[in-house]
Amino acid sequence: MTELHEPQFALHVEDLTVTYGAAPALWDIDLDVPPGVMAAIVGPNGSGKSTLLKTVLGLVPPVAGHIRLFGQPLAAMRKRVGYVPQRSSVDWDFPTDVRDVVMMGLYGQIGWFRRPGPAHRTRAMEALTAVGMQDYADRQISQLSGGQQQRVFIARALVQDADVYFLDEPMAGVDRPTEDIIIALLQSLRDQGKTVIVVHHDLTTVERYFDWLVMLNTRIIAQGPVTDVYTPENLRATYGHRVALVKV
Ligand code: ADP
Ligand code: MG
């Protein structure tokens, strides 16, 4: 009965602690992200942002805690979740062409042992067109620039038609036109009612791009609507003296 009255968060995290060795990467995290927002996760280097995404996606085991996506455990939601990992964590020399990278986003629907059909190929081309990469379908992923690789990974997430998207620093190291394309796509996903959760490295664009904000430094410092949470006090608590670099 009680579940019926709980608000249905896109992401609900409770008492989450993650350690790689002795030191905790995440300490007793409680987090709720409502559906239909575009949320930024910010914090200094090493503050646990990537670890948080990887743990939510089941790629890193927690020491303790409880994670729900739309009220369900990940196992029940895997096909409804899109993920774009941090670019530096991907082996870009892997010999694959651009179309195949995008098609990988469809395997949740196709199944690993069935062949993709023409409809799947069309979906992949539509997603490549959405990111302006339709002319690169036959190129090797290793031959693309960083910004082009990032667009291809966004296309791979797009074909999944997920309910919630997690992206780890998708705008890091990309040129301005690519950043504009990525932001427009993510905002249009949000406008369709999807939930978009982005690890973001650039504090100067937080207010412009996002409507929800999570400030992290091993612990949760603050979370909520950007207009409430993006304050000098919270920035200082998250970044310490480095906040002097940021204009608020
Ligand atoms: P962020 O994404 O905010 O930069 P990370 O989640 O990558 O932070 O890392 C958080 C902490 O965990 C850092 O101190 C980092 O050195 C450590 N860490 C991350 N991944 C590993 C790993 N695979 N093994 C050991 N320590 C790790
Ligand atoms: Mg990271």
Side-chain angles (χ1 to χ4, degrees), residues 50-60 67 69 74 78 81-84 164 166-167:
S50 295
T51 299
L52 177 58
L53 292 204
K54 287 179 194 167
T55 309
V56 168
L57 289 151
L59 303 171
V60 169
I67 297 166
L69 296 158
L74 175 70
R78 216 172 267 280
V81 177
Y83 175 44
V84 176
V164 55
F166 293 93
L167 301 96

Side-chain angles (χ1 to χ4, degrees), residues 69-231:
L69 296 158
F70 297 99
Q72 306 279 326
L74 175 70
M77 286 297 295
R78 216 172 267 280
K79 290 180 189 171
R80 312 305 305 158
V81 177
Y83 175 44
V84 176
Q86 200 163 358
R87 206 164 60 83
S88 58
S89 71
V90 174
D91 175 12
W92 294 102
D93 293 330
F94 196 76
T96 318
D97 68 31
V98 164
R99 185 186 283 101
D100 283 347
V101 170
V102 178
M103 301 283 276
M104 285 173 201
L106 288 164
Y107 281 120
Q109 290 149 51
I110 301 170
W112 283 99
F113 302 105
R114 286 175 44 210
R115 283 175 164 279
H120 297 119
R121 251 172 265 280
T122 304
R123 289 262 302 279
M125 281 313 293
E126 283 168 0
L128 280 172
T129 304
V131 298
M133 290 294 291
Q134 66 278 10
D135 296 337
Y136 294 80
D138 299 317
R139 295 277 193 96
Q140 288 292 302
I141 191 83
S142 58
Q143 295 171 339
L144 304 185
S145 74
Q148 291 171 331
Q149 290 172 338
Q150 198 63 274
R151 291 194 206 187
V152 172
F153 262 55
I154 305 271
R156 185 179 75 159
L158 284 178
V159 296
Q160 269 185 277
D161 192 25
D163 290 323
V164 55
Y165 290 91
F166 293 93
L167 301 96
D168 199 342
E169 302 206 19
M171 272 87 71
V174 308
D175 57 19
R176 190 57 208 238
T178 299
E179 177 156 340
D180 291 345
I181 287 172
I182 291 172
I183 279 299
L185 273 169
L186 298 181
Q187 289 177 337
S188 86
L189 289 172
R190 185 265 320 272
D191 294 344
Q192 292 161 41
K194 317 272 192 186
T195 309
V196 181
I197 300 175
V198 181
V199 172
H200 191 58
H201 68 292
D202 180 4
L203 289 173
T204 64
T205 49
V206 164
E207 289 172 293
R208 190 143 41 93
Y209 291 166
F210 298 94
D211 43 41
W212 197 265
L213 182 59
V214 176
M215 302 178 87
L216 182 70
N217 195 342
T218 310
R219 301 162 184 266
I220 294 289
I221 307 296
Q223 58 180 314
V226 170
T227 43
D228 298 347
V229 167
Y230 193 76
T231 64

Side-chain angles (χ1 to χ4, degrees), residues 8-11 32-37 195 212:
Q8 194 67 270
F9 290 110
L11 173 63
D32 285 310
V33 179
V37 298
T195 309
W212 197 265

